[in-house]
Amino acid sequence: MVATILVRRISREYNPRPYPRSHFWWYNPEMLPNYVPILILGAVALGFSVFTLVVSNMLGRPRPNAAKRETYECGMPPIGTARERFPIKFYLVCMIFILFDVDAAFFYPWALVFRELGVFGFVEMLVFVLILGSGFVYAWRVGALDW
């Protein structure tokens, strides 16, 4: 046991750290200063959210009543049950809108690198627009866009 203590003391005096700092995966002196503002922003956001929740619970106390528990429908008193069936047309129009909206988002990155892509990029986007346009014409002819 005495030998172990002596070996540990000698090894500490010779090499105070068993591994150099560069061996730690989380310590990189070149990358750490770049992430400090992001860490500060995250800490401020987390602190603000916790502060807001704590202060709102301390200052405001719940005062439930029948009017607050009632379902709110744009100022109108609710009539009937909430389990009402909606026509499929609403969902279809919503999905078509999302489809064309997401597809339109592909135009922005393409416009940024249009000159670098050359003729290949133009032809590729032309095929994309033709497929998108044919889908729009099909939805129009089937009557998916009619109210």
Side-chain angles (χ1 to χ4, degrees), residues 37-49:
I38 295 172
L39 294 175
I40 291 172
L41 178 66
V44 167
L46 182 67
F48 179 74
S49 62

Side-chain angles (χ1 to χ4, degrees), residues 91-132:
Y91 300 112
L92 188 60
V93 169
C94 177
M95 292 200 340
I96 289 172
F97 170 75
I98 290 172
L99 178 72
F100 287 119
D101 190 42
V102 168
D103 288 343
F106 286 115
F107 288 121
Y108 294 110
W110 174 75
L112 292 175
V113 293
F114 172 69
R115 293 177 196 244
E116 296 169 12
L117 294 176
V119 176
F120 173 74
F122 179 72
V123 170
E124 187 177 5
M125 191 51 74
L126 188 63
V127 169
F128 177 73
V129 168
L130 287 174
I131 293 171
L132 188 66

Side-chain angles (χ1 to χ4, degrees), residues 12-147:
R12 261 191 244 141
E13 290 172 5
Y14 176 71
N15 187 7
R17 288 192 189 112
Y19 302 105
R21 286 187 168 224
S22 62
H23 285 275
F24 294 115
W25 63 269
W26 50 268
Y27 183 78
N28 188 352
E30 290 114 19
M31 294 295 285
L32 188 61
N34 295 335
Y35 285 108
V36 168
I38 295 172
L39 294 175
I40 291 172
L41 178 66
V44 167
L46 182 67
F48 179 74
S49 62
V50 169
F51 173 76
T52 305
L53 289 172
V54 168
V55 169
S56 68
N57 281 335
M58 286 173 40
L59 295 179
R61 57 189 171 118
R63 297 182 188 110
N65 57 25
K68 287 184 181 179
R69 288 190 200 132
E70 191 174 331
T71 306
Y72 182 74
E73 299 240 357
C74 303
M76 305 284 290
I79 299 170
T81 179
R83 305 287 181 202
E84 191 175 320
R85 297 183 96 179
F86 288 99
I88 194 71
K89 190 75 81 174
F90 291 113
Y91 300 112
L92 188 60
V93 169
C94 177
M95 292 200 340
I96 289 172
F97 170 75
I98 290 172
L99 178 72
F100 287 119
D101 190 42
V102 168
D103 288 343
F106 286 115
F107 288 121
Y108 294 110
W110 174 75
L112 292 175
V113 293
F114 172 69
R115 293 177 196 244
E116 296 169 12
L117 294 176
V119 176
F120 173 74
F122 179 72
V123 170
E124 187 177 5
M125 191 51 74
L126 188 63
V127 169
F128 177 73
V129 168
L130 287 174
I131 293 171
L132 188 66
S134 65
F136 180 70
V137 168
Y138 174 76
W140 192 352
R141 289 205 178 166
V142 169
L145 302 175
D146 295 335
W147 283 96

Side-chain angles (χ1 to χ4, degrees), residues 1-19:
M1 183 151 138
V2 176
T4 307
I5 294 172
L6 288 175
V7 169
R8 284 184 184 167
R9 281 188 186 169
I10 292 170
S11 66
R12 261 191 244 141
E13 290 172 5
Y14 176 71
N15 187 7
R17 288 192 189 112
Y19 302 105

